[in-house]
Amino acid sequence: MIITLLGGAGFMGAGIVRDLVSDRATVDITAIRVCDASRDKMEALKDELGDARLKLIDLDVTDAAALAAVITGADICINCVPTLLGFQMAIFEAALAARVAYIDLGGLGTFTVKQLAEHERFKAAGVTAVIGVGADPGMSNVICRAVADELDEIDKINLYWAAELVGDENPVLVPPYSVSTVLAEYAHESTQFYGGKHVTCPPMSGSEFLDLPEPWGRCEFMHSPHSEQLTVPLADGIKEKGIQEFSWKLHLPHREHEAWVGLVKAGFGDFNEPVEVGGVKVRPLDVLNKVIERNIKKNADRIPAQDSHEIHFAIGKGRKDGVETTVTVEVVVKPDALYAPYVDACTSMNGSIAAQLILANPKRPGVWAPEEYFDVSTYFKELEKRRFQISTRRS
């Protein structure tokens, strides 16, 4: 099988490549087209992995002909180009035109509704697209499906993600993922599902404290824009169970949370709106990215070793066999040597899982969210192979 991976040398793309060429692979991969604008990063990745199946292709995604060429003939196109760069719909359409299966990592739900609106076109063309298949969204959607399957009637499902760092405090701000994504999570309004309908909520609203086991402890969660709340309460097998509430809430490590709040207060939430400096217009995002990058390099020797702990969980309330029931499904990702080469093992490994499950099974044409496409038990087995800890509690 041939896989085309756009943005293949970036943090998430490189992680997906690592998982695809590992001994965890479940499909016969003959070639991985690693497409990126950075030749240096692509060559470094190939040198590191030493896998002859990696085919390096210089790509400018604004070149429509070049984009079509790298997608054509592949069995699946994995789009890891950052969503907020604005190319997601063009890549999505290019996969349809080439009749090639498509996945992406979501990107705060920016294009989710537009993509789902193309379901019938993809179905008629016999093309499969599953959107938002990283950790959150992606794995988180499947967690919600697992909760929903335990209930006959659903009042609500509340979805959470918390990260915590263990070790000496870092004097340097190291973003957990794309700076634009973090800023959008803190500065943009979000759509949540309350009272049986979608509603708009202010940035950083919905404050909720939950006591979690160590190392997370007492965590404050907040609304943020994501795609799960746009799809899960409307999914077949969930919406007809009467769901009236679905929310997505985030918690970043405490000190890092304060830093991002401060940046938003300083005006970096409008990261794409240019400002004029010395007669030159620049985007705040570009300036901030460069400053953070410089600061990380300048202070590399001051960055302490820290262990990252993640917990992804959904709490569903409703009825099972007429009895009031609460179901909690959680996935915990603890430090492991397996994850050492990855910037974000959870997101990239889940992208790889999704691609392989699509390739390994008969495809279902159309545009799908993960909770409607993947079988829970099959998906969870792949998580366990990657040492993610899954638990289900009922009360």
Side-chain angles (χ1 to χ4, degrees):
M1 293 183 176
I2 299 173
I3 295 174
T4 289
L5 209 159
L6 308 178
F11 290 140
M12 297 307 105
I16 291 175
V17 172
R18 288 186 178 93
D19 194 76
L20 289 173
V21 302
S22 73
D23 58 6
R24 297 178 292 277
T26 56
V27 294
D28 182 17
I29 301 170
T30 56
I32 301 174
R33 299 170 179 169
V34 180
C35 308
D36 204 282
S38 174
R39 167 60 57 166
D40 289 347
K41 288 182 180 179
M42 288 193 292
E43 290 181 347
L45 180 63
K46 186 169 184 177
D47 290 344
E48 174 196 337
L49 298 176
D51 196 303
R53 293 173 295 173
L54 303 189
K55 312 300 180 185
L56 310 186
I57 302 173
D58 297 292
L59 178 67
D60 176 355
V61 294
T62 65
D63 184 334
L67 179 62
V70 299
I71 296 176
T72 299
D75 293 283
I76 194 167
C77 171
I78 304 175
N79 177 14
C80 292
V81 176
T83 302
L84 296 181
L85 291 180
F87 304 123
Q88 191 152 312
M89 291 304 293
I91 297 170
F92 179 72
E93 289 290 342
L96 173 62
R99 301 295 192 268
V100 171
Y102 168 94
I103 64 172
D104 61 39
L105 301 181
L108 305 181
T110 307
F111 297 105
T112 299
V113 174
K114 289 182 179 179
Q115 289 175 301
L116 289 173
E118 302 303 326
H119 175 77
E120 292 302 328
R121 286 179 62 219
F122 274 71
K123 186 175 180 181
V127 178
T128 299
V130 186
I131 57 176
V133 295
D136 303 85
M139 179 182 73
S140 57
N141 300 66
V142 181
I143 292 172
C144 292
R145 168 62 68 179
V147 167
D149 288 349
E150 294 287 332
L151 297 168
D152 299 325
E153 299 174 82
I154 303 171
D155 295 329
K156 63 181 179 178
I157 298 175
N158 302 113
L159 177 62
Y160 306 86
W161 174 65
E164 196 54 69
L165 298 170
V166 176
D168 293 339
E169 183 182 339
N170 194 343
V172 179
L173 178 62
V174 179
Y177 33 83
S178 165
V179 171
S180 59
T181 299
V182 185
L183 289 173
E185 287 181 321
Y186 275 74
H188 291 182
E189 295 178 330
S190 69
T191 299
Q192 308 291 333
F193 191 78
Y194 289 119
K197 63 182 180 180
H198 283 110
V199 297
T200 301
C201 298
M204 291 186 277
S205 62
S207 176
E208 179 181 0
F209 289 88
L210 294 177
D211 291 314
L212 304 181
E214 291 298 329
W216 298 280
R218 187 166 180 78
C219 293
E220 182 180 11
F221 289 86
M222 67 178 191
H223 290 139
S224 78
H226 254 240
S227 63
E228 293 95 327
Q229 57 266 39
L230 300 175
T231 66
V232 173
L234 304 182
D236 289 340
I238 296 178
K239 64 181 178 182
E240 60 266 34
K241 293 184 178 182
I243 186 168
Q244 293 295 299
E245 178 177 318
F246 184 93
S247 65
W248 150 258
K249 294 184 180 181
L250 165 77
H251 167 83
L252 289 184
H254 296 81
R255 284 297 177 88
E256 280 70 14
H257 167 78
E258 294 171 1
W260 295 110
V261 170
L263 285 169
V264 170
K265 286 183 176 180
F268 282 95
D270 295 324
F271 51 82
N272 276 326
E273 185 178 332
V275 294
E276 190 170 311
V277 182
V280 178
K281 288 189 175 181
V282 295
R283 293 193 311 161
L285 176 62
D286 296 332
V287 174
L288 184 59
N289 269 323
K290 286 297 183 181
V291 171
I292 288 177
E293 181 181 325
R294 182 186 67 183
N295 197 44
I296 291 173
K297 289 181 179 178
K298 184 178 179 180
N299 295 285
D301 59 342
R302 299 178 62 210
I303 298 176
Q306 292 181 312
D307 290 329
S308 175
H309 296 251
E310 298 180 39
I311 183 169
H312 311 249
F313 62 103
I315 303 173
K317 294 189 176 183
R319 283 154 294 285
K320 178 69 174 179
D321 298 327
V323 178
E324 295 290 333
T325 302
T326 297
V327 179
T328 302
V329 176
E330 68 182 29
V331 176
V332 172
V333 185
K334 294 184 176 180
D336 192 294
L338 178 65
Y339 311 142
Y342 296 80
V343 171
D344 181 349
C346 194
T347 296
S348 50
M349 285 183 172
N350 274 282
S352 173
I353 289 170
Q356 294 186 64
L357 288 178
I358 291 168
L359 292 172
N361 297 284
K363 296 184 183 70
R364 295 166 55 200
V367 182
W368 308 93
E371 68 273 12
E372 288 194 306
Y373 196 88
F374 297 114
D375 172 72
V376 171
S377 60
T378 303
Y379 197 101
F380 279 5
K381 286 177 183 177
E382 292 300 313
L383 293 180
E384 289 170 341
K385 281 169 57 176
R386 291 157 177 84
R387 305 178 190 171
F388 298 165
Q389 300 173 15
I390 307 166
S391 63
T392 302
R393 300 190 298 276
R394 305 169 189 82
S395 60

